Amino acid sequence: MRWIAFFLLAAASAASSYAWSGTTRQFLDRCQDDEAWCAGEIGDARRAIERGVEARKKVCFPVGLSDETLVFEVTYWISEQIPSMDHRPHAESVAAALISLYGCDRPRGMEGP
């Protein structure tokens, strides 16, 4: 339960730090047309997560992760959520995806820590 509260605070912090604001659906549509812009927004979300809520949450990208793969994984994760995140602020959805996919404290698979 404590993790959920922390996540909500991190997402709210990320949402407040964006210059561009739009819905998740608008974000996903724009990412289809402009991968570089999308990668930049994801980078902004990472920085917002790590600066917000006393900077206790870190995002650890795998070594060699390309912008193309990052954009694909984040947008795919968002689009697969039920219920849909389409009408939520995009910053909340991107923060949720980053924490779920790349949170440094998340359990590791067979590849280890």
Side-chain angles (χ1 to χ4, degrees):
M1 185 61 108
R2 191 172 191 202
W3 186 86
I4 293 171
F6 177 78
F7 167 74
L8 292 174
L9 287 172
S13 173
S16 66
S17 67
Y18 278 98
W20 182 82
S21 63
T23 66
T24 299
R25 177 78 271 150
Q26 291 167 327
F27 169 78
L28 293 173
D29 290 344
R30 188 160 175 191
C31 285
Q32 287 182 344
D33 296 329
D34 191 347
E35 186 177 287
W37 173 86
C38 193
E41 285 293 303
I42 294 169
D44 289 347
R46 178 186 186 175
R47 286 184 289 282
I49 291 166
E50 292 179 344
R51 282 192 299 245
V53 192
E54 299 174 28
R56 290 181 292 183
K57 194 70 171 171
K58 298 289 182 201
V59 176
C60 296
F61 292 140
V63 176
L65 181 67
S66 69
D67 284 351
E68 179 181 8
T69 301
L70 175 65
V71 167
F72 172 78
E73 289 181 349
V74 169
T75 56
Y76 181 80
W77 186 94
I78 292 169
S79 66
E80 290 298 307
Q81 298 311 296
I82 298 174
S84 170
M85 300 175 115
D86 283 356
H87 300 291
R88 295 173 80 188
H90 84 286
E92 289 179 17
S93 301
V94 174
L98 289 176
I99 290 168
S100 178
L101 293 168
Y102 306 111
C104 297
D105 59 351
R106 74 176 179 85
R108 302 289 181 216
M110 294 180 66
E111 67 273 0

